[in-house]
């Protein structure tokens, strides 16, 4: 490594008699080198840099145009969605109104049906009460008739003697026989 540095140092001591050489004075050579490099960069890089900037500008403009188209498409879709939303809201309101009407109609039908069922139940109750009353009346009549019959039989048995009793039975048998003959002939 020391050999390399020594060789650069020895270059600085060469005589400058019209030959090309290295100037090791950093302060004197730096502005000159910078101006040369900048001049070369500006001369040759101006076209490349302007092409890069033009391409960048074109891409930015294309992106802006695409963004505008997307924005317009989004606005159009938003308007369509708003229209569909209004339409759906109107349909929902109509369903709601129809639903309320249907509910009221069903409510009235249910009330009417309940009243009819209550009327039928009341009629069944009244018929059942009448039937039970008639049954009770018939039972009471039957008991009264049985008691009257037993009383009459008791009276007859106490009043009738054997001869009268036999005559009554014979008469009744005769009447039954006559009734039977009439039934057979008819």
């Amino acid at each position: 490594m020391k050999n390399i540095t020594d060789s650069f140092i020895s270059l600085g001591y060469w005589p400058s008699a019209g030959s090309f050489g290295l100037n090791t004075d950093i302060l004197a050579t730096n502005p000159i080198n910078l101006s040369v490099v900048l001049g070369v960069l500006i001369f040759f890089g101006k076209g490349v840099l302007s092409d890069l900037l033009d391409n960048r500008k074109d891409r930015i403009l294309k992106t802006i145009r695409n963004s505008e188209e997307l924005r317009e498409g989004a606005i159009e879709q938003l308007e369509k969605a708003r229209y569909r939303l209004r339409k759906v809201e109107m349909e929902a309101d109509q369903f709601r109104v129809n639903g309320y009407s249907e509910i009221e109609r069903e409510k009235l039908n249910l009330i009417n049906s309940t009243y009819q069922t209550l009327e039928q139940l009341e009629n069944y109750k009244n018929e059942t009460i009448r039937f039970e009353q008639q049954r009770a009346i018939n039972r009471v009549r039957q008991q009264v008739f049985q008691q009257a019959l037993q009383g009459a039989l008791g009276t007859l048995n106490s009043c009738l003697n054997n001869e009268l009793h036999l005559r009554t039975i014979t008469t009744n048998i005769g009447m039954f026989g006559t009734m039977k003959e009439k039934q057979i002939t008819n």
Side-chain angles (χ1 to χ4, degrees):
M1 184 78 141
K2 187 174 183 191
N3 290 339
I4 294 174
T5 15
D6 287 340
S7 64
F8 280 117
I9 292 175
S10 64
L11 286 176
Y13 294 111
W14 282 6
S16 59
S19 68
F20 183 76
L22 287 175
N23 186 359
T24 57
D25 185 13
I26 293 176
L27 294 176
T29 58
N30 221 7
I32 296 171
N33 289 337
L34 285 176
S35 61
V36 169
V37 168
L38 284 176
V40 169
L41 279 177
I42 289 172
F43 181 75
F44 290 112
K46 183 170 109 178
V48 172
L49 186 61
S50 70
D51 287 343
L52 285 173
L53 289 174
D54 286 342
N55 287 340
R56 177 75 178 155
K57 181 176 126 185
D58 289 342
R59 276 188 275 145
I60 290 171
L61 290 175
K62 187 187 284 186
T63 303
I64 289 172
R65 271 187 251 118
N66 286 341
S67 297
E68 285 295 319
E69 289 173 4
L70 289 174
R71 180 180 160 273
E72 289 171 5
I75 288 172
E76 185 178 320
Q77 288 179 352
L78 177 65
E79 289 302 316
K80 286 179 181 178
R82 283 182 180 160
Y83 173 74
R84 285 192 306 253
L85 176 64
R86 282 190 298 270
K87 185 177 176 183
V88 166
E89 284 175 345
M90 288 181 351
E91 288 176 0
D93 288 340
Q94 186 177 8
F95 283 135
R96 194 175 302 120
V97 167
N98 290 343
Y100 289 141
S101 299
E102 184 68 25
I103 288 171
E104 286 298 318
R105 193 170 28 256
E106 289 296 323
K107 181 177 142 185
L108 289 175
N109 288 342
L110 182 62
I111 289 171
N112 290 338
S113 173
T114 304
Y115 281 135
Q116 289 174 352
T117 304
L118 286 175
E119 270 183 41
Q120 287 175 349
L121 289 175
E122 186 68 27
N123 290 339
Y124 292 149
K125 179 189 83 167
N126 291 337
E127 285 178 24
T128 304
I129 289 172
R130 279 192 298 270
F131 176 74
E132 289 297 325
Q133 284 175 345
Q134 192 64 35
R135 206 166 124 190
I137 289 170
N138 287 338
R139 220 180 284 139
V140 168
R141 282 183 186 163
Q142 194 175 25
Q143 287 175 356
V144 167
F145 178 73
Q146 281 182 349
Q147 286 176 357
L149 187 60
Q150 284 175 357
L153 281 175
T155 305
L156 278 177
N157 283 336
S158 66
C159 293
L160 289 179
N161 56 23
N162 281 337
E163 188 179 315
L164 188 57
H165 193 283
L166 283 174
R167 217 177 333 152
T168 307
I169 291 175
T170 307
T171 307
N172 284 336
I173 290 175
M175 283 187 345
F176 283 132
T178 311
M179 285 177 28
K180 192 172 185 183
E181 287 176 12
K182 285 183 181 180
Q183 283 181 345
I184 291 175
T185 57
N186 287 335

